Amino acid sequence: NAGVTQTPKFQVLKTGQSMTLQCAQDMNHEYMSWYRQDPGMGLRLIHYSVGAGITDQGEVPNGYNVSRSTTEDFPLRLLSAAPSQTSVYFCASSGGLPIAEQYFGPGTRLTVT
Amino acid sequence: AQTVTQSQPEMSVQEAETVTLSCTYDTSENNYYLFWYKQPPSRQMILVIRQEAYKQQNATENRFSVNFQKAAKSFSLKISDSQLGDTAMYFCAFMNWDQGGKLIFGQGTELSVKP
């Protein structure tokens, strides 16, 4: 049972490049989420999903796309990277109520130059 | 919209002593969950403790306990017998009961435990 896995762990992009951050979970969780962590701001929700085929925007969705074709995977796409997207990205999953606890992946540190 | 505020950016405590981290939140909802997460230098997010709003009893997990004041919208974390391994960033987080997958985090408190 690997829990929540994220790849890559580190990435450097040039402005304007695109890439996909991968996230997978093997706990059959219905809920999956993407957060970004910036100094002094805690974690902020980018997008989330309540099940395969269903996604919704969080607090800071601009510049990011998601899709959820399977229960296990929830990739985050950066369409045209900008320096403002330099951050640490976390993927999380949860089995929903009444447990509610979110399990987090190890994070991806992304630098956009 | 819900908000979570942690007003202590940094705190320090001597090993074996007790420390309390503060958290306040704003919501018009009646049913929700509150969490404290720990983030050590490894960057991994680790759940410390969870509180359901409908429960009047304060949650405890070994050396960690909370003081949940629903009317005051306050949710503080007490760490007893602090250990060096407690050194980490601590985040308070809120989730509506019917919005699984949507955590709202505070800004974090960086705790240093000194020998």
Side-chain angles (χ1 to χ4, degrees):
Chain A
N1 190 335
V4 180
T5 57
Q6 289 183 239
T7 55
K9 285 189 167 48
F10 301 93
Q11 183 70 49
V12 179
L13 289 178
K14 294 188 188 303
T15 297
Q17 288 184 319
S18 63
M19 80 159 295
T20 299
L21 305 184
Q22 300 292 345
C23 175
Q25 52 92 7
D26 60 0
M27 297 173 280
N28 201 32
H29 283 168
E30 15 176 358
Y31 298 96
M32 295 188 75
S33 311
W34 277 102
Y35 298 88
R36 60 177 287 173
Q37 182 179 14
D38 302 294
M41 302 187 74
L43 280 75
R44 292 180 293 168
L45 183 65
I46 304 171
H47 286 285
Y48 69 103
S49 170
V50 300
I54 306 170
T55 64
D56 204 351
Q57 296 181 351
E59 182 185 356
V60 288
N62 292 340
Y64 308 95
N65 271 1
V66 292
S67 60
R68 186 136 177 236
S69 56
T70 67
T71 299
E72 295 78 20
D73 300 299
F74 191 44
L76 178 72
R77 298 181 187 85
L78 280 69
L79 307 172
S80 177
S84 61
Q85 294 178 304
T86 293
S87 189
V88 178
Y89 292 84
F90 288 95
C91 179
S93 74
S94 68
L97 307 174
I99 304 299
E101 175 185 350
Q102 287 204 350
Y103 294 83
F104 284 82
T108 295
R109 181 176 291 279
L110 175 68
T111 302
V112 183
T113 61
Chain B
Q2 290 86 9
T3 58
V4 178
T5 302
Q6 295 177 247
S7 58
Q8 306 153 314
E10 298 176 352
M11 295 190 72
S12 66
V13 63
Q14 292 296 128
E15 196 175 7
E17 296 193 343
T18 295
V19 64
T20 298
L21 309 183
S22 301
C23 173
T24 59
Y25 59 95
D26 188 24
T27 184
S28 58
E29 302 292 334
N30 192 47
N31 294 321
Y32 49 86
Y33 295 86
L34 294 163
F35 306 87
W36 279 98
Y37 278 88
K38 170 185 177 180
Q39 187 181 44
S42 67
R43 204 170 68 194
Q44 182 66 46
M45 294 289 288
I46 302 165
L47 179 67
V48 175
I49 201 163
R50 180 185 78 186
Q51 176 80 42
E52 291 88 341
Y54 67 85
K55 290 186 178 179
Q56 293 185 340
Q57 187 172 5
N58 289 326
T60 62
E61 287 287 343
N62 300 315
R63 298 182 295 107
F64 299 88
S65 62
V66 298
N67 184 3
F68 173 47
Q69 302 288 329
K70 190 173 184 179
K73 296 179 183 174
S74 170
F75 183 60
S76 61
L77 175 70
K78 185 171 82 170
I79 306 174
S80 304
D81 186 25
S82 296
Q83 301 176 358
L84 297 178
D86 295 333
T87 293
M89 184 73 84
Y90 287 82
F91 292 100
C92 178
F94 171 99
M95 190 185 79
N96 272 328
W97 76 274
D98 61 347
Q99 293 187 328
K102 290 184 68 175
L103 279 174
I104 300 167
F105 285 87
Q107 303 90 327
T109 297
E110 188 168 7
L111 177 68
S112 296
V113 180
K114 301 186 185 304

